[in-house]
Amino acid sequence: MVLLHVLTPYLLRRGLDWLEKYLRSHNSQEIPLDTRDFLLKSIPVVRSFVLYGHRLHMAVFYMRGMFYHIAKRISGVQYVSATLYHSVFTTKIYNVLERSVYIVSKRLS
């Protein structure tokens, strides 16, 4: 799990950097020009998708209180709650926050 948490972002970043450098070099002449242009344009999209995916993951964590790390979400490891109960007030606040994030996300898309 630690390797998944540490190595995945590193390998993803290094892989995208390598791909971009390779596509911009003269060694990539065997790749058709249209394909090369498409891949070069899609690299920033993939980077932003990863960034916003991580932000969405953190928002879901703060609403639900489970899976602080993406690696734990993928592997299914959950935190154990030390509290015996949740107050009604706390539950209502989380419900309001969840609905407001949902409304904002619908308006942005």
Side-chain angles (χ1 to χ4, degrees):
M1 183 170 35
V2 172
L3 291 177
L4 184 65
H5 176 67
V6 173
L7 288 180
T8 302
Y10 174 76
L11 291 176
L12 186 61
R13 184 173 55 246
R14 292 287 298 204
L16 289 174
D17 289 344
W18 177 85
L19 179 63
E20 185 175 19
K21 188 182 292 185
Y22 177 76
L23 291 173
R24 292 188 189 281
S25 72
H26 296 292
N27 297 335
S28 63
Q29 297 299 327
E30 64 271 2
I31 300 173
L33 185 62
D34 294 337
T35 306
R36 191 176 341 144
D37 289 341
F38 173 76
L39 289 173
L40 283 171
K41 289 178 184 177
S42 65
I43 288 174
V45 173
V46 170
R47 284 186 178 144
S48 64
F49 178 75
V50 170
L51 175 69
Y52 289 121
H54 185 262
R55 289 180 182 174
L56 175 67
H57 162 74
M58 290 305 294
V60 170
F61 166 74
Y62 286 120
M63 287 188 296
R64 299 288 182 198
M66 297 185 317
F67 306 120
Y68 181 71
H69 298 103
I70 292 177
K72 290 181 182 176
R73 182 177 299 278
I74 292 171
S75 61
V77 175
Q78 296 182 5
Y79 291 99
V80 177
S81 178
T83 59
L84 296 176
Y85 67 94
H86 290 285
S87 69
V88 175
F89 179 72
T90 306
T91 306
K92 286 182 182 181
I93 288 177
Y94 283 128
N95 286 337
V96 168
L97 286 173
E98 182 178 355
R99 287 185 185 126
S100 62
V101 168
Y102 177 76
I103 290 170
V104 169
S105 67
K106 283 297 187 182
R107 288 187 181 172
L108 292 177
S109 60

